[in-house]
Amino acid sequence: MAHPISDDWGCESAFAAEGSALHRAMYAEPDAQEGKLSTPEPQPAEVNRLWHARYWLVPVVMLAFWLLTCVTALAQAPAAWPGVYLVYSPSTGSYSYTLNGTAPAGWRSEGIRFRVHADASAIDGQAAIALQKFLLPPLNRVALTASNEEAATLRAQGWQSDGMLGYVAGVQTAGTVPLHRLTHDGLKLNVFTTKAPGKNFLVGTFGWRYAGIVGYVKSASDNGSGTPVTPPSMPSAPVTPAAAPTLTSFSPQSAAIGATVTFTGTNFANGSTVKFNGIASSSVTWQAATSLKAVVPANATTGKVVIISAGSSITSTSDFVVSAPTTPVITSFTPTSGEAGTVVTVNGTGLSGVSAVRFGSVAVVTVANVTATSLQATVPVGASSGKISVTSGSATATSPTDFTVIVPPPMVDAGYRDAARLLTQATFGPKTSSIERVKAIGAPAWIDEQIALPAASHMAYIDAAKARRLAETGKGYYAEEGSYEAIWQQWLLGPDELRARMTFALSEIMVISNIAPDLEPDAMSSYMDMLNTRAFGTYRDLLGAVALHPAMGYYLNMLGSEKEDAKNQKFPNENFAREVMQLFSLGVYQLNADGSRKVDGSGVPLATYDEGVVKGFARAFTGWTFFGNDPANPKKFDRPEESWTQPMIAFASKHETGSKTLLNGIILPAGQTPEKDLKDALDTIANHPNVSPFISRQLIQRFVTSNPSPAYVARVSGVFDNNGRGVRGDLAAVIKAVLMDPDARGSTTLSDPKFGKQREPVIRLANLLRAFNATSKNGRNNIHYLDSADDALGQSPLLSPSVFNFFSPAYTRPGKLAQSGMVAPEFQITNEIQTVGTANFFYQLVKQEGYGSGDSQLKLDLTQPKTLANSPAALVDYLSTLLTYGELNTASRQTIIDAVAAVPFNNKDSDRTWRVRTALTLFALSSDFVIQK
Amino acid sequence: MKTNHTGRRSFLKGASGLLLPVIVPLAVPITARNAHAQLQDIAHLAAGDDYRALVCIFMFGGNDGNNLVVPRDPADYAKYAGPRGRLALNRDQLLSIKPTNVQGREFGLHPAMTGMQGLFNQGKAAVIANVGTLAAPITKQQYQNGSVQRPANLYSHSDQQFLWNTAMADNSVRSGWGGRVGDRVAALNQSGSLTTCMSVAGNSTFLSGDTIRSFPVSPSGQFGLDFYETSNETRPLSEGIQKLLGQSSSRVNVMDGVWLDILSGAITNQKQISTALNNATPFTTVFPNSGLGQAMRMIARLIVARTAFGAKRQVFFAGIGGFDTHGDDQLDRQDELLGDVSASMTAFYNATAELGLAENVTSFTASDFGRNFPTNGKGSDHAWGSHHLVAGGAVRGNAMYGTFPSLVVDGPDDVGKGTWIPSVSVDQYAATMATWFGVGPGDLNAVFPNLSRFSTGNLGFMA
């Protein structure tokens, strides 16, 4: 293992040796001459610290091994005490220890540092311990240990065994010296020395610590022969000290801070440092041994440029002139949108000095092909839409328009999306739990399951409220507010979700309203219960119950309508007779099965009935009053006892006994009882062919789409005619046909320009409350009057302006809708007042995170959205599943993501609140939420 | 319970937090001048401060006109009181009017209409007797034998409201006559379609023209989004809203685009209107604190603010509901409702007089239909022709136009249980006011295509 001596590595000679690594290093590092090495520049935390260390580690390592060199006398040794060489990799700043002075490519030997025993036989009578070597990838940091326990720890930490170097003594014996280990934890560097001065110098400096004695070895100059040995030489080949660089030219010779300068010369090592008049460039790119690029650093001034390459340096002969920064200007960029990773070409002027590019507030990591007029920047991860900015020196330029960062939507399961869509159509809004249920059992089974659920009781709700009032105030009475609360109670919390929507739809066809005339609370709640219990029965049964309900009787004046008595100016009241045909069953024009109008030969629509028919039905409907009055006492007909929850009963004495002309030439014979006339009259209506398309079309409009295709109407109408078991008007079968129709379930309608409907304002409110499981302290609610368009919704259950409902199924809006030949019922209550009032209302809902006051105040549970607030895209996609069945328009989605991302986020609760508030408000106003597809 | 509705809303307001009328400033301009307007035939529109406004007050549900104007001469009154039965108003309580053009006959207005009685007697109001929807003049015999077309779906609320608004009883158009008039005058207004047709009663068929659409204004004066603030927290929301609203044209779904357009227009235009209203000089006339009263007050305020929009011709629409009086509360209901109509119309006239615009503004009533003359035992059912009121300084007042029905059940005017065949059509009623408003003879037949079917296009009640 002897090596020819070719150089003097004595301590003193180190300073004298022109071109030695230490000399070169110290000459180039004025701070290091005084033992005060430069501290590293602060860098972003995400930069790999280990890797970054290469920029400043070099001088530290050089200093370390200079010390070791100085204190280690060099000697040749016999084979019994082979020397351990220090080898060094300039490019990685790593060094290692090896028994072979021949260093691998890219490494060079720095000579023997200490000696170990060659075999396991006793060392001076003491036990010999193996000195094991470990390397830590990727930089091949080295550790030596004589402890098996420590060896195991190193392995666990990712160090890899590289065999053993030899044996050391576990205790000091004559002729051995301690081998000290010094460790730098941050850099995972270890150095080993036998000399105390080097140890003492380094410990406590720059993060080095003393890590104890590895074992006892012989010094480099003591080969055990008792005769000092000559220090080994640097191996002549292949480890040749790096040749000194030369510098031929650099270009440009003048540029602004931030510009890139290309240096041409020879022997440039990878990892070279470039200093502009003493200021090191923070960005040096090694291209070849003959070419380097360096960015003119901030604070650089005009002066010589020094290139430090593998410990050698070369100084330019001419000055590099730092020019005034060119003001950058961005004129355009392309493409104008894209996902993270998209390479964007930014065009402009004065770009050559650009040192940083940002998308919004996020810095670009990769900038390439910088010229004066263009550069290429890669859209960084986490960027949000906004202006592109470039910084050149102290000047910053911003793009005139926004770059739109496209955040790709997550892959949401199609089954999940359709479950949410079905629940949007069929209930007062999906919840996470209900989506899972539909997905688990499938849409048809879910519909069947819902139909089988018992109906909520509105009367039970107002009875409980009455009992509480009695207990609290001593006065028990029904309040109209209770009737509204009972509705919302079912909508928000009832398990009968489909029935709730069906009942609401029916209440918009067979309308009662407390606007005028005033209705009793129990009349209204009992009417709702009547609709609820018959929502999935037959149409004929429903029609009969509606006709005899005292709320309807009072609202449309069948209650108390009596036979003609011309002498006393009494005539049958026509109100119910007219509206039951016009609104509840037939409409004024005869219809085909697909809902289109029948016309005569001239194209004129055919009327369903005339005035004589209205009068005939009015006569058939005479003689009815409140339950509980004695028909034997005619005076009770004029002054009846009121019962608002029981079906009306007939006074035969008040019933018109003559014949009645009904629809399609049907004539009721004279002398029938009021009950028989009523039954026959309602049978006549319910069996009219108009009922199937008339009711089917309106149910489709209430649940799925405002403009159903004629074929869709015909399919549902066919089920209305016959449920497959010979039953007409089976509403359970009809609603299932509405919801399971290919137009409702298929995805093609999602992109049909005319498909869908506006979600009614009250349904939008229910959607938002349900999506976030709104509950109150006392389990109730206090949602009452929402009919103001100024500051509420312009719609409130049981408060329709008239029997014509809040809107007409035939309403169209002048402009795009009318021009497209579309109807849009809900747009009848949509106008410039109501949209703004509704926007304000929903903003308040989101801001208050609930609705109402006191113990009945409904509070939204926004835990999950707030958890996602730090990830705008994840937040928006979560809300999209609940509120837009995962079908949020791409542009809407991006807009909301960008708005959320623009809300400052420092992980405070208020940040999360503002982000969720921003997202939810935008959802509430978005056409994606408002227009159900 | 109905009457404390204002209280309900106050309660709601308390529950949902204080809503402040702060506006999002969007940089979308008010719609430009209506390029489609036909200017050439607006003959006598002067330059300068020439201004005219028409105000429709729609009585939803079908007002029983038989109790709006009642013959007061003893013999005539007897013909009224008998068949009316329990609905007959007491003769002594009828508010006497003596139209100058009815051969000395005396009539009485409903007892609740003291204000209108005053205007009538001052010559600032007129009665138009027995107006209704007509496809063409029709006799009882023609009605019965079907030889002349009837208006479509007589006696149906929705259909008859529609025909009153379109003034075309053969159902051949979908636009309202107020809107069609607006189409032709919008070019005279600097702000074009925004302020030409304005509704204080929500969406309005009456004001939907062939190109123009009514702009609804809340009687409460509640304007704008209340959550626009320039803080770091809310700026992203406001900018997000602007971005969403700007995407309407790129939406595939028609309703998506319409929704975004409505919200966008609302935010922009409400800001302009609220600014103009805030800058307008207040007036002192007090209006009833009813829905209609406050709606009429808002119209008066908009008229004051007209100069901010450079408006020369405006059509307004107001409404009042509850007239569908089938039941035994008809007398009470009419007392309340007609009292409101009278007080609101009177206050409105007084405000225009205070503003010096009495001769420039005309208000008139409309309704679905009249009601059967004989009671149904409690109230009255749907019928046809009915009486209406017109008020304003340009009205040839203290007079009655059209022909008062004979009040004979099964007589020549009656097609069933006291259902009066109208003596004049809505077309004629409307065309008379449109002519005063400035629609010239050439345009008149375009606005009212059926007008030529009737003996005259001008009933003469406008100066």
Side-chain angles (χ1 to χ4, degrees):
Chain A
M1 299 293 271
H3 298 282
I5 298 170
S6 63
D7 199 354
D8 180 2
W9 279 72
C11 192
E12 291 78 17
S13 69
F15 283 97
E18 189 68 31
S20 76
L22 176 66
H23 174 81
R24 292 189 292 265
M26 293 199 70
Y27 192 79
E29 299 287 343
D31 288 348
Q33 286 177 325
E34 298 171 34
K36 296 186 292 183
L37 295 180
S38 303
T39 50
E41 289 178 39
Q43 291 288 328
E46 58 270 25
V47 173
N48 182 318
R49 289 183 186 283
L50 257 182
W51 183 246
H52 178 72
R54 64 182 296 187
Y55 294 108
W56 60 276
L57 175 65
V58 172
V60 176
V61 171
M62 289 194 172
L63 177 63
F65 80 74
W66 164 65
L67 291 164
L68 300 172
T69 301
C70 286
V71 299
T72 306
L74 303 176
Q76 283 192 310
W81 288 93
V84 176
Y85 292 76
L86 174 68
V87 293
Y88 172 61
S89 165
S91 64
T92 64
S94 282
Y95 53 97
S96 186
Y97 292 86
T98 172
L99 289 167
N100 189 338
T102 304
W107 295 70
R108 70 179 187 228
S109 171
E110 299 287 359
I112 293 174
R113 287 295 171 267
F114 55 91
R115 294 173 183 277
V116 292
H117 205 267
D119 58 52
S121 60
I123 299 171
D124 294 337
Q126 299 299 320
I129 308 169
L131 181 64
Q132 302 177 59
K133 179 182 170 190
F134 286 86
L135 299 175
L136 181 67
L139 300 181
N140 285 335
R141 301 299 197 216
V142 70
L144 305 179
T145 182
S147 156
N148 286 333
E149 189 180 346
E150 186 182 42
T153 304
L154 287 169
R155 281 193 187 89
Q157 291 173 350
W159 292 75
Q160 296 172 358
S161 173
D162 194 42
M164 55 177 286
L165 293 171
Y167 295 89
V168 298
V171 296
Q172 187 162 20
T173 62
T176 61
V177 293
L179 179 64
H180 304 284
R181 180 166 73 190
L182 307 178
T183 293
H184 192 292
D185 294 315
L187 301 177
K188 300 229 184 316
L189 283 172
N190 295 299
V191 294
F192 301 88
T193 180
T194 55
K195 296 301 182 184
K199 177 197 82 172
N200 294 341
F201 178 85
L202 206 54
V203 168
T205 310
F206 313 125
W208 291 93
R209 66 179 170 84
Y210 180 60
I213 295 170
V214 179
Y216 295 88
V217 297
K218 286 193 181 295
S219 66
S221 59
D222 179 4
N223 64 3
S225 65
T227 306
V229 296
T230 307
S233 70
M234 293 289 289
S236 57
V239 181
T240 308
T246 63
L247 178 59
T248 312
S249 64
F250 56 87
S251 174
Q253 305 205 345
S254 171
I257 286 166
T260 300
V261 181
T262 303
F263 296 90
T264 306
T266 61
N267 299 332
F268 295 147
N270 196 351
S272 294
T273 300
V274 179
K275 294 195 161 194
F276 290 81
N277 202 20
I279 307 296
S281 169
S282 59
S283 175
V284 178
T285 307
W286 182 86
Q287 297 191 298
T290 56
S291 178
L292 275 183
K293 287 190 173 193
V295 172
V296 182
N299 303 323
T301 53
T302 297
K304 299 290 188 289
V305 178
V306 176
I307 298 175
I308 303 151
S309 171
S312 299
S313 69
I314 180 69
T315 302
S316 64
T317 52
S318 61
D319 282 354
F320 175 82
V321 178
V322 177
S323 60
T326 311
T327 305
V329 174
I330 300 178
T331 53
S332 66
F333 53 85
T334 180
T336 56
S337 66
E339 299 177 11
T342 303
V343 176
V344 177
T345 301
V346 178
N347 302 305
T349 57
L351 300 179
S352 56
V354 164
S355 57
V357 180
R358 288 173 183 274
F359 283 77
S361 60
V362 181
V364 172
V365 176
T366 310
V367 182
N369 299 329
V370 180
T371 70
T373 55
S374 74
L375 59 82
Q376 291 184 323
T378 303
V379 179
V381 174
S384 53
S385 298
K387 305 278 191 287
I388 299 175
S389 61
V390 296
T391 303
S392 178
S394 59
T396 296
T398 303
S399 61
T401 56
D402 283 359
F403 179 84
T404 302
V405 177
I406 295 171
V407 183
M411 296 296 290
V412 180
D413 177 56
Y416 204 85
R417 286 203 307 270
D418 188 58
R421 187 185 182 203
L422 172 70
L423 290 161
T424 304
Q425 294 165 334
T427 74
F428 280 96
K431 299 181 174 201
T432 306
S433 56
S434 60
I435 297 172
E436 296 289 356
R437 182 64 183 163
V438 173
K439 201 183 163 213
I441 66 174
W446 177 83
I447 293 171
D448 293 341
E449 180 177 88
Q450 283 288 314
I451 287 170
L453 286 177
S457 172
H458 291 221
M459 283 302 297
Y461 186 93
I462 67 169
D463 281 338
K466 184 179 179 180
R468 271 196 309 279
R469 199 169 287 116
L470 181 64
E472 288 165 11
T473 68
K475 295 175 187 170
Y477 58 92
Y478 293 124
E480 63 174 311
E481 287 80 2
S483 296
Y484 311 135
E485 290 170 19
I487 287 176
W488 286 94
Q489 199 71 9
Q490 183 187 16
W491 290 7
L492 299 181
L493 298 170
D496 51 346
E497 302 181 4
L498 176 60
R499 189 185 297 273
R501 264 299 283 275
M502 185 67 168
T503 293
F504 181 52
L506 294 172
S507 81
E508 294 190 286
I509 297 172
M510 301 172 178
V511 176
I512 61 169
S513 170
N514 197 28
I515 287 288
D518 294 338
L519 298 174
E520 293 297 326
D522 52 339
M524 294 191 284
S525 290
S526 161
Y527 188 81
M528 294 305 293
D529 281 348
M530 179 275 294
L531 294 180
N532 260 316
T533 52
R534 287 167 176 80
F536 299 132
T538 66
Y539 174 81
R540 173 64 183 84
D541 183 47
L542 173 70
L543 186 67
V546 166
L548 285 184
H549 198 282
M552 183 59 78
Y554 182 72
Y555 189 60
L556 291 186
N557 311 100
M558 184 175 137
L559 194 157
S561 174
E562 57 188 295
K563 66 182 179 184
E564 180 167 341
D565 176 3
K567 196 175 69 177
N568 292 308
Q569 283 122 22
K570 290 183 175 177
F571 299 94
N573 193 300
E574 296 171 11
N575 203 10
F576 179 74
R578 182 185 308 280
E579 309 306 0
V580 73
M581 288 192 290
Q582 181 171 342
L583 301 174
F584 300 179
S585 59
L586 308 176
V588 295
Y589 295 113
Q590 295 181 40
L591 302 176
N592 297 304
D594 65 3
S596 60
R597 287 178 185 174
K598 291 182 178 173
V599 295
D600 66 13
S602 318
V604 176
L606 296 170
T608 313
Y609 50 85
D610 62 16
E611 281 307 290
V613 172
V614 173
K615 288 176 170 34
F617 275 100
R619 285 149 55 84
F621 294 146
T622 49
W624 295 86
T625 189
F626 289 109
F627 175 84
N629 292 286
D630 181 6
N633 181 1
K635 287 181 181 172
K636 275 290 177 189
F637 195 81
D638 294 327
R639 291 186 179 75
E641 303 299 318
E642 297 179 1
S643 167
W644 290 104
T645 59
Q646 298 293 322
M648 297 188 292
I649 51 108
F651 277 43
S653 60
K654 299 292 182 181
H655 182 64
E656 175 62 54
T657 53
S659 65
K660 291 101 185 172
T661 301
L662 304 183
L663 285 162
N664 294 346
I666 293 174
I667 295 174
L668 298 182
Q672 294 204 122
T673 64
E675 291 84 356
K676 178 75 166 112
D677 269 357
L678 178 75
K679 177 185 178 302
D680 290 351
L682 295 181
D683 283 347
T684 302
I685 291 173
N687 288 325
H688 192 284
N690 259 36
V691 178
S692 306
F694 187 81
I695 297 295
S696 297
R697 184 166 190 278
Q698 288 197 63
L699 288 175
I700 295 169
Q701 286 186 315
R702 297 278 57 76
F703 284 85
V704 179
T705 181
S706 296
N707 295 277
S709 65
Y712 186 2
V713 175
R715 288 191 289 269
V716 177
S717 185
V719 173
F720 193 106
D721 284 339
N722 184 341
N723 68 353
R725 297 182 303 281
V727 177
R728 175 177 171 78
D730 174 359
L731 296 174
V734 169
I735 194 60
K736 194 170 183 182
V738 168
L739 295 171
M740 290 311 301
D741 192 89
D743 279 6
R745 295 275 57 76
S747 59
T748 55
T749 49
L750 285 169
S751 53
D752 179 338
K754 297 184 178 180
F755 192 81
K757 67 184 283 283
Q758 188 196 122
R759 293 188 211 198
E760 296 175 45
V762 292
I763 292 179
R764 273 180 261 158
L765 172 58
N767 287 168
L768 289 165
L769 291 169
R770 287 172 58 89
F772 307 106
N773 297 310
T775 51
S776 68
K777 282 182 187 164
N778 63 18
R780 303 190 295 273
N781 71 80
N782 48 19
I783 308 180
H784 301 146
Y785 307 100
L786 304 172
D787 52 328
S788 164
D790 286 350
D791 51 15
L793 302 177
Q795 185 190 26
S796 200
L798 288 173
L799 292 172
S800 164
S802 76
V803 72
F804 284 81
N805 194 27
F806 307 100
F807 38 73
S808 160
Y811 177 79
T812 188
R813 180 182 171 85
K816 280 185 199 168
L817 285 169
Q819 287 155 15
S820 304
M822 296 167 66
V823 300
E826 295 83 359
F827 278 82
Q828 191 168 354
I829 55 171
T830 304
N831 59 47
E832 285 78 353
I833 301 167
Q834 187 255 7
T835 50
V836 170
T838 302
N840 287 332
F841 179 90
F842 284 129
Y843 178 74
Q844 290 298 331
L845 175 78
V846 171
K847 186 180 178 188
Q848 313 292 337
E849 299 187 5
Y851 182 88
S853 57
D855 286 350
S856 294
Q857 183 185 31
L858 292 164
K859 291 297 286 181
L860 304 177
D861 178 1
L862 297 177
T863 308
Q864 181 62 17
K866 285 182 179 176
T867 302
L868 297 171
N870 60 336
S871 174
L875 169 63
V876 170
D877 291 332
Y878 173 79
L879 297 178
S880 169
T881 305
L882 284 173
L883 299 176
T884 58
Y885 34 89
E887 299 285 356
L888 189 62
N889 174 284
T890 309
S892 300
R893 179 172 176 275
Q894 196 60 47
T895 300
I896 302 175
I897 289 173
D898 290 344
V900 170
V903 175
F905 190 81
N906 296 305
N907 209 20
K908 291 183 297 185
D909 284 351
S910 60
D911 298 337
R912 292 180 184 277
T913 297
W914 268 111
R915 285 196 155 190
V916 171
R917 188 179 297 174
T918 299
L920 273 178
T921 304
L922 288 169
F923 261 95
L925 301 187
S926 72
S927 59
D928 310 84
F929 175 66
V930 175
I931 309 300
Q932 165 196 309
K933 315 295 186 303
Chain B
M1 281 184 275
K2 170 171 49 68
T3 49
N4 64 9
H5 218 70
T6 308
R8 288 172 178 171
R9 288 179 183 153
S10 302
F11 175 78
L12 174 71
K13 200 175 264 188
S16 61
L18 185 63
L19 305 171
L20 296 173
V22 183
I23 315 289
V24 175
L26 291 175
V28 184
I30 267 184
T31 315
R33 281 166 172 259
N34 181 349
H36 305 293
Q38 299 169 20
L39 276 169
Q40 67 278 10
D41 198 37
I42 304 174
H44 57 283
L45 291 177
D49 60 355
D50 170 67
Y51 174 78
R52 285 181 191 187
L54 263 179
V55 182
C56 175
I57 300 168
F58 206 100
M59 301 182 287
F60 287 100
N63 176 49
D64 187 347
N66 293 305
N67 277 9
L68 180 75
V69 184
V70 179
R72 206 166 178 275
D73 295 318
D76 283 348
Y77 178 79
K79 281 198 269 180
Y80 158 84
R84 275 257 99 175
R86 68 189 303 270
L87 294 179
L89 298 167
N90 190 316
R91 180 174 178 273
D92 297 340
Q93 292 175 337
L94 292 169
L95 303 174
S96 173
I97 55 172
K98 293 178 179 170
T100 53
N101 59 347
V102 290
Q103 291 86 39
R105 289 180 69 183
E106 182 185 5
F107 291 86
L109 290 177
H110 188 280
M113 306 190 86
T114 51
M116 288 308 294
Q117 182 196 28
L119 287 184
F120 192 95
N121 290 337
Q122 292 167 47
K124 305 301 182 191
V127 169
I128 317 301
N130 198 16
V131 194
T133 56
L134 287 174
I138 190 171
T139 65
K140 180 173 181 175
Q141 187 183 14
Q142 289 166 330
Y143 177 93
Q144 288 170 338
N145 66 22
S147 60
V148 170
Q149 186 184 1
R150 296 178 185 179
N153 300 309
L154 276 172
Y155 321 115
S156 156
H157 284 292
S158 51
D159 295 270
Q160 295 304 301
Q161 283 173 11
F162 187 75
L163 298 186
W164 258 91
N165 285 320
T166 64
M168 285 191 64
D170 57 1
N171 212 13
S172 55
V173 298
R174 298 200 65 83
S175 59
W177 71 262
R180 294 198 301 275
V181 167
D183 286 337
R184 285 160 177 79
V185 299
L188 296 169
N189 298 332
Q190 280 176 18
S191 59
S193 58
L194 172 61
T195 56
T196 302
C197 291
M198 303 186 94
S199 168
V200 289
N203 291 354
S204 158
T205 300
F206 173 68
L207 295 179
S208 295
D210 295 321
T211 59
I212 212 164
R213 208 176 54 71
S214 69
F215 190 84
V217 175
S218 168
S220 73
Q222 174 101 27
F223 293 108
L225 298 182
D226 67 348
F227 49 92
Y228 180 78
E229 300 161 42
T230 55
S231 68
N232 285 339
E233 289 81 6
T234 54
R235 192 180 298 115
L237 175 56
S238 299
E239 290 174 356
I241 290 171
Q242 293 181 45
K243 275 193 192 174
L244 281 182
L245 297 180
Q247 291 163 3
S248 74
S249 59
S250 63
R251 290 308 156 94
V252 171
N253 191 287
V254 176
M255 289 188 194
D256 272 41
V258 171
W259 165 261
L260 294 172
D261 286 345
I262 294 173
L263 186 54
S264 174
I267 292 169
T268 309
N269 295 334
Q270 283 199 359
K271 183 191 178 195
Q272 311 248 358
I273 292 171
S274 67
T275 302
L277 286 173
N278 290 337
N279 293 337
T281 312
F283 47 77
T284 59
T285 304
V286 176
F287 282 76
N289 191 26
S290 62
L292 180 63
Q294 292 306 300
M296 297 301 284
R297 178 169 177 272
M298 176 53 76
I299 293 173
R301 291 180 62 198
L302 289 166
I303 289 174
V304 179
R306 74 192 181 285
T307 49
F309 304 110
K312 300 286 190 188
R313 287 291 184 278
Q314 291 184 283
V315 192
F316 295 98
F317 184 79
I320 174 171
F323 287 90
D324 192 18
T325 52
H326 291 273
D328 56 11
D329 59 345
Q330 170 166 334
L331 288 174
D332 290 345
R333 202 90 81 77
Q334 274 199 305
D335 199 54
E336 176 194 334
L337 296 174
L338 293 178
D340 192 355
V341 169
S342 173
S344 298
M345 277 182 92
T346 306
F348 182 71
Y349 173 83
N350 292 339
T352 59
E354 177 187 341
L355 296 166
L357 292 169
E359 307 212 334
N360 305 68
V361 180
T362 301
S363 64
F364 65 96
T365 60
S367 192
D368 316 15
F369 37 59
R371 306 188 82 85
N372 293 131
F373 179 50
T375 176
N376 61 20
K378 293 185 167 61
S380 54
D381 293 327
H382 305 181
W384 196 358
S386 190
H387 314 310
H388 286 278
L389 299 170
V390 186
V395 173
R396 290 187 172 127
N398 198 13
M400 178 181 285
Y401 301 83
T403 307
F404 203 84
S406 63
L407 300 189
V408 176
V409 176
D410 294 330
D413 297 333
D414 181 15
V415 291
K417 288 204 305 193
T419 298
W420 312 131
I421 301 171
S423 70
V424 291
S425 71
V426 174
D427 316 48
Q428 295 170 286
Y429 181 50
T432 305
M433 291 183 278
T435 299
W436 165 80
F437 194 66
V439 178
D443 267 349
L444 207 58
N445 286 325
V447 176
F448 303 103
N450 295 347
L451 190 61
S452 59
R453 300 176 185 179
F454 302 96
S455 59
T456 174
N458 195 324
L459 299 177
F461 59 84
M462 296 302 299

